[in-house]
Amino acid sequence: MAVFDKCSVLLDLKNLSFKERKSLKLSVTENGGSLCFVVNKQCSFVVVSNVSHLSPNRLRSICKFQTPVVGLDYVHSCLQKGILLPVDDYKLDISSLDASSHILPLCSTEQSPFKDEESRAVVKPSKDKTYPPDKSGSVLGKFRIYTEQDEDIPAYPDDFNVAKYSIFHKNDSGTWCVLELQSAKGQKRQQYRVINYRKNTIPNDMVTFPSTSEEAVEVYQALTDILLASGLRPWASIPPQDQNLGSYALQQLLLEEKLNTGVLSRDVAVFVELLWTEALGCLGNILKVPVSKLSLNDVRLS
């Protein structure tokens, strides 16, 4: 039996080179394992190159499902000994990494699906005065707004987390906006960025760089008020045809939230069951072994 037979493994390898990541992926898949991309109840264990690089959202999922977290040495040791070793002997301590320790709430604004996918009161305007961008291109009178055309836009780490997000839509113009508050670990301190990804508007993106988490929340709320005042309405989800709207980190967050909380409708569940029943009947006529004895590796090789 293959070393990682029936194991679903998530790899979190942010600081490894492409060659090293590819090598580790092959070590898992060529030895019976399969790769997963979100932490759920099917995930066997998480392999990390640096435990401190785990995102708060992923940490929450790990804690929720009690998924073991191991280092690269676990994979190498299993392959060296030719067996799946007990993860308890290789588990990394994540108790000091608190997913809720950040000042910013690392979750989306309250969103729930309503008729026509529109969310009623998903985002509420602040009770304070709304501050539109002034003529110099700033918000709240002190935070410069950059656009994608600006040559002097500050650099920002690629490895960031989405602390807050909101989705907006205007029916009559087909305008979509995704507002994100992003947080990243800088060399000296935590860095923040509030960015408004826009579709069918000029300029496309608007970016600000607050210095502290309090300022970041303040800018986020101010831009929320501006968007609401412009006639945009809060929306529950990004439309299927515009799934690339927003950052990659947000797409990953939305995918994890959907997989962890999504429930199939009764009609879809019945349809899937019918397809599976029909497939089982056909497979039973051509397979040499019962379907229940097939491994993920058998399916992959076929």
Side-chain angles (χ1 to χ4, degrees):
M1 186 174 67
V3 174
F4 298 113
D5 185 44
K6 298 182 181 179
C7 289
S8 181
V9 184
L10 188 146
L11 302 177
D12 196 303
L13 314 172
K14 292 186 175 67
N15 61 337
L16 295 187
S17 66
F18 173 79
K19 187 176 181 180
E20 290 173 317
R21 292 198 300 269
K22 184 178 180 180
S23 175
L24 197 66
K25 289 178 182 178
L26 290 175
S27 297
V28 173
T29 57
E30 291 183 350
N31 288 277
S34 62
L35 299 179
C36 60
F37 301 94
V38 294
V39 179
N40 52 32
K41 60 183 180 181
Q42 284 78 35
C43 181
S44 305
F45 54 88
V46 177
V47 180
V48 298
S49 55
N50 189 325
V51 71
S52 63
H53 289 170
L54 287 169
S55 68
N57 183 67
R58 184 155 286 174
L59 273 174
R60 283 198 297 270
S61 297
I62 289 172
C63 294
K64 176 181 178 181
F65 296 103
Q66 296 295 300
T67 308
V69 178
V70 297
L72 306 179
D73 57 330
Y74 176 70
V75 176
H76 299 318
S77 297
C78 288
L79 294 176
Q80 188 176 21
K81 296 186 178 181
I83 59 172
L84 185 67
L85 299 170
V87 292
D88 291 342
D89 297 336
Y90 292 84
K91 283 177 63 175
L92 299 177
D93 182 18
I94 61 170
S95 59
S96 60
L97 302 174
D98 184 3
S100 61
S101 62
H102 296 264
I103 297 177
L104 297 172
L106 292 161
C107 58
S108 67
T109 54
E110 294 181 2
Q111 300 188 13
S112 57
F114 289 87
K115 185 177 180 181
D116 299 328
E117 292 190 350
E118 184 173 3
S119 174
R120 303 170 187 173
V122 171
V123 180
K124 296 182 180 179
S126 65
K127 297 180 181 179
D128 301 327
K129 181 180 178 181
T130 299
Y131 296 91
D134 58 32
K135 294 181 180 180
S136 63
S138 66
V139 64
L140 295 174
K142 54 183 177 179
F143 299 105
R144 175 180 169 181
I145 294 179
Y146 294 86
T147 68
E148 59 183 8
Q149 288 85 15
D150 292 332
E151 296 181 355
D152 60 340
I153 187 169
Y156 195 74
D158 293 328
D159 184 20
F160 60 82
N161 298 314
V162 177
K164 291 174 70 70
Y165 70 88
S166 297
I167 302 167
F168 300 90
H169 175 55
K170 184 179 288 187
N171 288 325
D172 56 356
S173 64
T175 299
W176 286 92
C177 293
V178 174
L179 184 64
E180 295 182 25
L181 197 167
Q182 301 167 352
S183 175
K185 184 178 294 185
Q187 294 181 347
K188 296 182 179 179
R189 59 179 177 81
Q190 199 74 8
Q191 294 180 295
Y192 303 97
R193 178 171 69 176
V194 180
I195 180 168
N196 182 17
Y197 298 94
R198 300 142 71 94
K199 181 187 176 185
N200 295 342
T201 58
I202 300 296
N204 292 334
D205 299 335
M206 299 171 59
V207 193
T208 58
F209 295 87
S211 300
T212 66
S213 60
E214 290 82 2
E215 290 178 347
V217 172
E218 187 180 11
V219 171
Y220 182 88
Q221 185 59 60
L223 290 178
T224 296
D225 292 342
I226 293 169
L227 293 172
L228 292 174
S230 69
L232 289 163
R233 299 288 302 278
W235 214 255
S237 60
I238 300 174
Q241 66 272 19
D242 295 310
Q243 288 301 304
N244 292 329
L245 187 63
S247 66
Y248 176 77
L250 177 62
Q251 304 306 321
Q252 187 179 42
L253 175 62
L254 292 174
L255 176 61
E256 292 195 15
E257 290 180 348
K258 188 173 183 179
L259 290 177
N260 288 336
T261 62
V263 178
L264 289 177
S265 66
R266 183 179 180 277
D267 291 339
V268 173
V270 171
F271 179 65
V272 171
E273 186 175 353
L274 288 173
L275 287 178
W276 179 242
T277 301
E278 184 176 350
L280 283 177
C282 296
L283 289 173
N285 296 328
I286 61 176
L287 293 176
K288 295 181 179 179
V289 296
V291 175
S292 59
K293 293 187 178 180
L294 288 176
S295 68
L296 291 174
N297 189 46
D298 294 327
V299 176
R300 183 181 67 83
L301 291 176
S302 63

